């Protein structure tokens, strides 16, 4: 390796440029450190000013310096993180109409010469960097802020730089770019996410840089890079539109906390800080503002896997609650609430009508329709309060004038004798005082009295009333049969009796909150990134869109891995046609994770499903065939010894990221009990745990989605995979986790459906 890189004609020039870049970064770091110290001094002065003056100028000085300090710290951290590998590629590019050829080095950060503003490093997210990812040598075009740019690309060069040393130089075309990809893919699982920037492929780049003004939905095969693409799209989003959306308004909805741990180290490396990372359940708990007891979402999955008798009904209920049809039920229910709250009475203070009831109703139902229903009530209340404040003096003036005129008339009337005049005057004065007093009194309570008919009921109470009443369900769900409404209400009654909710109840509650109360500003996100989207329901997507009042969603998933399809999606079509009609829809069928040999077996398993799912296209990277070993489940000590030997051999090959995947939690517990006394570091992984580096993790198939390992062992001790759709998906998920090696252990091939796979696609030991 060392001699080949030195043989390159530009080796010395490139070494000198690398040294210059590192030295320049070091000088910028020192300068930034100095800036930071100056800003701290400025902050101290600003604080001192605030002691004596609370002028807006002092606050602005403080705010501005705080922002600069944050910027300086961020710049310092990012530059420090890349000094050992400041860039990964170079392009030589001549813009059309310009005789000067630019030499541009592409990396993870931007760096400009502070004197002449010539780029020293070009950020991979910049428009010109697109030429590296998409352009072949020759004439090329690229999009820059909505305008087409063209030019001539004379060189694409790739570097391998480790710890600040130049290890390899490649002048790349399509073929050598594939060589680079092969080298990246043959690496280890624990370093893959960090290095993807250098090897982003054309179809992945299209997704990352797709219009940021429209939602995007991506059907991506296992190993197609869905997760890394989503993360890089976030980075690209902040680079291109960060001035419009602070990172605090961007959110990743991860499938579980394990996944958040998996990606947490990558985001800062991509220049993504402060973005909200959470799970759907955790976010809903905070947003709904109530302590929610949630029944285990995986209990239904387990019931379905075990084929329990109740599972078919549970599957129907779960699917129905997540459907757009059920959203229609909630919409009709909310319309009834809206109509019942719409006022019809005139607003009157002491015989004076301040506003007609029909006008207030029109405001409530039409003019204020842009507001959540309960906020319309507040709006009406404020309107009436202002009306009282403005018109009260007018009313008092009118009463005073009316009675003063009457008094003048009585006092100066020649037709009245003195006694009669006295009685009339006394009566007028009494009546005047009473009316003036009445106006004063009623004006204090008139608004409250009028608004008492507007009752803001708790969304949880309303939802419970709807779901436990067969009559209400029949009224708002006309497509359901009477017995279905009755059985559904009984089912929900049992859930509520436990003072609990199911996962599927969160979407309708969030939707009701959005429509009735509105989502509080801290929880109102501007752009949302969802991975494993196939496990979300149509109602979940519709509710999130409504609650956040945006359709800037990046949605990635794989229907073939939809092990939660009983509650999730079975097709992307309703999402594209009904919920996000402006969405870009793209597919990624190339798998960059697994070898050809592993993918062949996984595709064989996928074809057992009665679904029209396209086969995954593996990138041509060969390895060992998956291996099946017949075991005797009664001889667990012998099996433990075999597994230990295999894992030691893998460690000797420098393959350390290893998973043992079982069908269910119970099967994993059996595997763990077998290996508990092993000398190997073993971890029985649960959803809320972090993976321990260096440990062999044991986890159920459903929890392995989205993760990847150097090697995977699929074990069937007591539980066989059947030809039911759910089992096929679970097995497919497990088979598509390894990058390099797949081992399968069972009593016979049928337990892992290998009797349905061509025998030359795997080895038998």
């Amino acid at each position: 390796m060392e001699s080949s890189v030195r043989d390159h004609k530009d080796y010395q020039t490139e070494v000198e440029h690398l040294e210059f870049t590192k030295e320049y970064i070091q000088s910028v770091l020192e300068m930034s450190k100095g800036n930071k110290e100056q800003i701290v001094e400025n902050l101290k002065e600003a604080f001192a000013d605030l002691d004596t003056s609370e002028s807006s100028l002092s606050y602005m000085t403080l705010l501005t310096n705080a922002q600069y300090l944050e910027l300086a710290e961020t710049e310092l951290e990012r530059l420090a993180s890349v000094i050992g590998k400041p860039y990964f590629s170079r392009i030589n590019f001549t813009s059309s109409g310009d005789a000067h050829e630019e030499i541009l080095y592409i990396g993870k950060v931007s760096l400009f010469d502070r004197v002449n503003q010539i780029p020293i490093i070009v950020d991979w997210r910049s428009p010109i960097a697109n030429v590296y990812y998409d352009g072949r040598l020759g004439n090329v075009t690229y999009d820059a802020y909505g305008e087409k740019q063209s030019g001539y690309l004379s060189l694409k060069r790739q570097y391998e730089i480790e710890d600040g040393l130049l290890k390899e130089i490649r002048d790349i075309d399509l073929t050598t770019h594939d060589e680079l990809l092969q080298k990246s893919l043959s690496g280890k699982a624990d370093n893959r996410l960090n290095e993807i920037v250098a090897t982003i492929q054309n179809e992945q780049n299209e997704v990352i840089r797709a219009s940021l003004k429209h939602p995007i939905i991506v059907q991506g095969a296992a190993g197609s890079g869905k997760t890394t693409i989503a993360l890089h799209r976030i980075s690209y989003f902040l680079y291109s539109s960060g001035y419009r959306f602070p990172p605090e308004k961007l959110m990743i909805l991860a499938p579980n906390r394990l996944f958040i741990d998996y990606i947490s180290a990558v985001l800062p490396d991509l220049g993504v800080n402060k973005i909200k990372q959470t799970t759907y359940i955790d976010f809903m708990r905070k947003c709904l503002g109530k302590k929610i007891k949630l029944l285990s979402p995986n209990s239904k999955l387990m019931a379905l896997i075990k084929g329990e008798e109740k599972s078919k009904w549970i599957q129907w209920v779960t699917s129905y609650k997540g459907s757009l049809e059920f959203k229609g039920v909630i919409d009709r229910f909310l319309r009834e609430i809206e109509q019942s709250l719409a006022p019809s009475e005139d607003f009157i203070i002491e015989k004076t009508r301040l506003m007609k009831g029909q006008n207030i109703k029109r405001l409530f139902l039409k003019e204020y329709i842009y507001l959540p229903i309960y906020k319309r009530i507040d709006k009406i209340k404020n309107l009436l309060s202002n009306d009282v404040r403005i018109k009260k003096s007018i009313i008092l003036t009118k009463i005073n004038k009316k009675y003063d005129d009457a008094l003048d008339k009585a006092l100066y009337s020649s037709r009245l004798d003195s006694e009669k005049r006295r009685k009339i005057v006394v009566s007028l004065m009494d009546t005047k005082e009473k009316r003036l007093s009445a106006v004063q009194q009623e004006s204090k309570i008139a608004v409250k009295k009028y608004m008492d008919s507007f009752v803001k009921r708790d969304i949880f109470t309303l939802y419970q009333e709807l779901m436990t009443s067969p009559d209400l369900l029949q009224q708002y769900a006309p497509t359901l049969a009477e017995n279905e409404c009755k059985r559904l209400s009984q089912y929900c009654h049992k859930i509520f009796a436990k003072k609990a909710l199911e996962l599927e109840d969160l979407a309708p509650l969030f939707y009701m909150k959005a429509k009735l109360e509105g989502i509080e500003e801290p929880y109102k996100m501007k752009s949302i990134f969802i991975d494993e989207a196939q496990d979300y329901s149509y109602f979940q997507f519709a509710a999130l869109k409504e609650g956040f009042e945006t359709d800037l969603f990046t949605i990635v998933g794989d229907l073939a891995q939809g092990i939660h399809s009983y509650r999730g999606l079975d097709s992307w079509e309703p999402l594209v046609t009904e919920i996000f009609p402006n969405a870009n829809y793209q597919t990624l069928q190339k798998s960059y994770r697994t070898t050809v040999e592993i993918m062949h077996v996984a595709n064989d398993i996928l074809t057992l499903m009665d679904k029209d799912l396209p086969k995954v296209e593996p990138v041509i990277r060969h390895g060992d065939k998956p291996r099946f070993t017949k075991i005797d489940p009664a001889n667990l000590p012998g099996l433990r010894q075999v597994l230990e030997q295999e894992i030691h051999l893998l460690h000797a090959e420098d393959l350390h990221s290893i998973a043992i995947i079982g069908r269910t939690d119970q099967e994993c517990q059996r595997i763990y009990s077998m290996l508990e006394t092993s000398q190997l570091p073993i971890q029985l992984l649960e959803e809320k745990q972090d993976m321990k580096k260096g440990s062999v993790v044991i986890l159920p198939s459903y929890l392995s989605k989205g993760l990847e390992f150097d090697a995977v062992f699929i074990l069937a001790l007591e539980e066989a995979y059947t030809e039911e759709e759910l089992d096929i998906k679970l097995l497919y998920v497990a088979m598509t986790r390894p990058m390099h090696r797949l081992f399968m252990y069972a009593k016979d091939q049928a337990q892992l459906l290998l009797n349905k796979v061509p025998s030359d696609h795997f080895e038998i030991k």
Side-chain angles (χ1 to χ4, degrees):
M1 177 76 73
E2 193 66 27
S3 59
S4 64
V5 72
R6 288 179 179 276
D7 290 342
H8 193 282
K9 62 184 178 66
D10 291 336
Y11 172 73
Q12 193 57 42
T13 304
E14 292 292 4
V15 167
E16 289 172 4
H17 182 80
L18 178 59
E19 289 305 312
F20 161 75
T21 305
K22 290 191 300 181
E23 287 173 12
Y24 197 91
I25 290 174
Q26 193 60 50
S27 69
V28 171
L29 290 174
E30 292 300 321
M31 193 183 304
S32 297
K33 193 174 180 181
N35 289 344
K36 179 180 172 183
E37 289 167 358
Q38 181 58 51
I39 292 167
V40 169
E41 286 302 313
N42 291 345
L43 275 173
K44 287 179 181 177
E45 290 177 16
F47 271 118
D49 289 343
L50 286 178
D51 290 338
T52 57
S53 168
E54 292 191 2
S55 68
S56 59
L57 182 62
S58 296
Y59 277 112
M60 286 303 296
T61 304
L62 179 58
L63 181 63
T64 303
N65 281 291
Q67 288 171 337
Y68 276 128
L69 178 60
E70 188 174 317
L71 192 66
E73 286 179 335
T74 303
E75 183 182 13
L76 202 69
E77 289 168 5
R78 293 219 65 205
L79 281 172
S81 71
V82 302
I83 196 167
K85 187 177 181 178
Y87 47 81
F88 53 80
S89 67
R90 160 186 162 181
I91 57 173
N92 288 17
F93 181 75
T94 307
S95 294
S96 296
D98 187 352
H100 174 67
E101 183 180 64
E102 289 185 281
I103 297 175
L104 302 170
Y105 288 82
I106 301 170
K108 292 181 181 179
V109 298
S110 290
L111 183 63
F112 291 87
D113 187 306
R114 296 200 172 191
V115 176
N116 55 28
Q117 288 302 298
I118 292 174
I120 296 171
I121 306 172
V122 174
D123 194 297
W124 70 271
R125 299 166 292 185
S126 65
I128 186 65
N130 217 12
V131 171
Y132 165 72
Y133 292 113
D134 287 352
R136 297 192 184 188
L137 299 183
N139 293 318
V140 294
T141 61
Y142 67 95
D143 183 78
Y145 309 109
E147 293 184 9
K148 283 286 181 188
Q149 306 291 330
S150 61
Y152 187 82
L153 181 64
S154 61
L155 177 74
K156 287 174 72 172
R157 182 169 285 174
Q158 177 75 41
Y159 307 98
E160 280 188 42
I161 301 170
E162 292 178 15
D163 300 324
L165 299 176
L166 184 61
K167 297 291 186 180
E168 194 162 341
I169 303 172
R170 292 189 191 88
D171 290 327
I172 62 175
D173 54 26
L174 191 62
T175 306
T176 49
H177 196 257
D178 281 346
E179 287 176 10
L180 170 72
L181 177 64
Q182 292 284 349
K183 185 160 186 175
S184 171
L185 296 178
S186 64
K188 305 301 179 288
D190 54 7
N191 196 39
R192 283 247 294 143
L193 279 176
N194 289 314
E195 297 305 319
I196 194 76
V197 171
T199 57
I200 291 170
Q201 300 299 289
N202 184 33
E203 73 274 15
Q204 296 174 324
N205 189 47
E206 285 180 13
V207 174
I208 291 169
R209 296 175 188 259
S211 170
L212 299 174
K213 296 178 181 178
H214 297 91
I216 186 168
I217 299 168
V218 181
Q219 160 58 39
S224 61
K226 295 185 298 298
T227 299
T228 52
I229 288 168
L231 298 180
H232 285 75
R233 184 165 168 81
I234 294 168
S235 180
Y236 179 66
F237 189 99
L238 287 172
Y239 178 85
S240 304
S241 301
Y243 63 94
R244 290 192 296 142
F245 303 115
E248 294 88 347
K249 288 297 181 182
L250 274 65
M251 178 170 70
I252 298 173
L253 280 181
N256 49 54
R257 292 177 190 172
L258 181 63
F259 184 90
I260 293 172
D261 175 60
Y262 184 60
I263 65 171
S264 61
V266 185
L267 290 171
D269 192 52
L270 291 172
V272 177
N273 295 293
K274 296 187 179 177
I275 183 171
K276 191 171 186 64
Q277 303 169 57
T278 185
T279 65
Y280 175 80
I281 290 173
D282 286 347
F283 181 76
M284 285 294 149
R285 278 190 163 127
K286 288 182 180 178
C287 189
L288 289 171
K290 189 172 182 176
K291 194 171 182 180
I292 296 171
K293 177 186 174 185
L294 206 66
L295 299 181
S296 171
N298 291 322
S299 61
K300 290 184 179 180
L301 179 63
M302 292 304 109
L304 290 169
I305 292 174
K306 294 173 185 175
E308 294 175 7
E309 189 176 340
K310 63 179 180 179
S311 64
K312 293 297 180 187
W313 167 250
I314 290 174
Q315 190 170 354
W316 180 87
V317 171
T318 306
S319 177
Y320 183 73
K321 281 184 180 180
S323 68
L324 293 179
E325 184 182 344
F326 184 57
K327 175 183 173 291
V329 173
I330 300 297
D331 279 329
R332 286 186 283 275
F333 182 52
L334 290 171
R335 273 197 296 273
E336 186 69 26
I337 292 171
E338 180 186 47
Q339 289 294 330
S340 69
L341 287 172
S344 56
E345 299 293 322
D346 293 343
F347 180 55
I348 296 171
I349 289 183
E350 204 282 321
K351 301 180 185 179
T352 302
R353 183 175 66 192
L354 272 66
M355 194 174 292
K356 287 183 179 179
Q358 64 188 46
N359 289 342
I360 301 174
K361 187 172 185 176
R362 177 179 53 79
L363 288 170
F364 186 82
L365 294 177
K366 293 184 178 179
E367 302 300 325
Y368 297 156
I369 197 168
Y370 64 93
L371 290 171
I373 292 170
Y374 288 172
K375 288 196 174 177
R376 292 183 225 169
I377 295 173
D378 297 335
K379 186 89 169 173
I380 296 287
K381 182 179 179 180
N382 290 335
L383 178 72
L384 297 182
S385 296
N386 286 334
D387 219 31
V388 169
R389 183 173 50 81
I390 292 167
K391 293 179 180 177
K392 175 183 165 185
S393 60
I394 298 172
I395 296 169
L396 292 172
T397 300
K398 282 183 177 180
I399 292 173
N400 274 314
K401 187 176 185 309
K402 176 182 176 180
Y403 286 95
D404 286 349
D405 288 347
L407 282 167
D408 285 345
K409 189 175 179 182
L411 287 169
Y412 299 107
S413 174
S414 58
R415 291 178 295 173
L416 296 174
D417 59 37
S418 59
E419 182 58 29
K420 207 167 189 179
R421 182 182 291 114
R422 188 186 66 79
K423 287 182 179 179
I424 291 173
V425 168
V426 170
S427 174
L428 286 171
M429 291 182 69
D430 285 347
T431 306
K432 174 187 173 183
E433 288 304 315
K434 285 178 183 177
R435 290 199 64 187
L436 290 173
S437 178
V439 170
Q440 293 286 5
Q441 292 302 314
E442 286 188 32
S443 63
K444 294 176 183 177
I445 62 168
V447 175
K448 181 182 181 304
K449 187 176 179 182
Y450 189 84
M451 300 305 297
D452 280 346
S453 60
F454 295 79
V455 181
K456 295 180 181 179
R457 300 189 64 204
D458 176 64
I459 58 168
F460 290 89
T461 304
L462 287 168
Y463 182 67
Q464 184 171 338
E465 284 181 8
L466 170 67
M467 299 307 292
T468 55
S469 168
D471 293 336
L472 286 177
L473 285 171
Q474 190 77 64
Q475 180 181 347
Y476 300 114
T479 59
L480 293 187
E482 186 178 344
N483 67 316
E484 287 177 320
C485 290
K486 187 174 181 180
R487 195 172 176 190
L488 178 57
S489 67
Q490 289 171 343
Y491 175 88
C492 292
H493 183 78
K494 289 178 182 176
I495 301 296
F496 289 122
K498 298 175 184 176
K499 299 189 183 304
L501 294 169
E502 295 185 304
L503 171 64
E504 299 76 40
D505 295 316
L506 299 179
L509 283 165
F510 179 80
Y511 186 72
M512 288 175 68
K513 182 178 177 66
K515 289 289 192 179
L516 289 170
E517 303 172 358
I519 304 304
E520 286 85 353
E521 195 56 38
Y523 302 110
K524 194 172 280 188
M525 299 294 120
K526 298 297 184 185
S527 187
I528 301 92
F529 300 79
I530 298 179
D531 202 351
E532 301 294 346
Q534 74 278 353
D535 294 336
Y536 283 68
S537 71
Y538 298 113
F539 197 172
Q540 280 177 293
F541 282 115
L544 288 170
K545 179 185 174 183
E546 185 72 30
F548 294 140
E549 299 180 76
T550 182
D551 67 353
L552 294 182
F553 282 70
T554 295
I555 297 165
V556 298
D558 180 14
L559 295 179
Q561 299 182 66
I563 60 176
H564 297 285
S565 59
Y566 58 92
R567 72 166 187 243
L569 310 181
D570 55 14
S571 166
W572 296 111
E573 187 177 354
L575 207 62
V576 177
T577 58
E578 297 184 53
I579 302 173
F580 298 105
N582 296 321
N584 295 318
Y585 175 74
Q586 298 197 34
T587 59
L588 298 170
Q589 285 308 118
K590 283 186 180 177
S591 173
Y592 298 94
R593 176 185 299 138
T594 59
T595 61
V596 170
E597 289 74 16
I598 293 172
M599 207 64 239
H600 277 333
V601 176
N603 272 331
D604 292 334
I605 294 298
L606 197 57
T607 56
L608 299 178
M609 257 197 314
D610 187 22
K611 295 271 186 182
D612 186 23
L613 292 169
K615 283 192 175 183
V616 182
E617 306 164 23
V619 170
I620 304 302
R621 179 171 67 88
H622 289 285
D624 293 349
K625 285 183 179 180
R627 195 171 76 204
F628 171 76
T629 303
K630 186 175 181 178
I631 62 169
D632 177 7
N635 182 16
L636 293 182
L639 176 57
R640 181 179 67 240
Q641 188 176 1
V642 169
L643 288 173
E644 286 176 336
Q645 288 172 351
E646 289 287 4
I647 291 168
H648 283 307
L649 289 172
L650 290 171
H651 285 168
E653 293 179 45
D654 202 25
L655 300 176
H656 294 281
S657 174
I658 299 170
I660 301 174
I661 299 178
R663 182 169 171 268
T664 64
D665 293 317
Q666 291 91 332
E667 185 79 304
C668 288
Q669 185 61 56
R670 295 182 193 107
I671 296 167
Y672 179 71
S673 297
M674 175 183 67
L675 293 171
E676 199 170 6
T677 57
S678 169
Q679 296 302 307
L680 292 166
I682 301 291
Q683 180 187 10
L684 179 60
L685 197 64
E686 295 179 0
E687 187 170 335
K688 296 179 181 179
Q689 288 182 325
D690 296 338
M691 278 192 289
K692 295 176 183 174
K693 195 172 178 66
S695 290
V696 176
V697 295
I698 302 170
L699 73 168
S701 177
Y702 74 87
L703 200 54
S704 71
K705 274 198 303 98
L707 305 179
E708 61 181 27
F709 304 91
D710 291 331
V712 165
F713 293 78
I714 300 176
L715 260 64
L717 294 180
E718 295 184 20
E719 297 182 19
Y721 291 86
T722 70
E723 289 187 60
E724 291 290 327
E725 181 181 310
L726 180 55
D727 265 356
I728 293 169
K729 286 179 176 177
L730 287 168
L731 186 55
Y732 175 76
V733 166
M735 285 182 169
T736 53
R737 297 308 98 200
M739 290 177 59
H740 305 296
R741 307 289 287 278
L742 175 61
F743 303 90
M744 299 168 288
Y745 291 79
K747 185 170 61 178
D748 56 56
Q749 293 180 27
Q751 287 195 309
L752 298 175
L753 303 181
L754 294 176
N755 57 322
K756 305 290 183 180
V757 173
S759 58
D760 61 336
H761 281 185
F762 62 96
E763 292 180 349
I764 300 174
K765 184 176 179 181

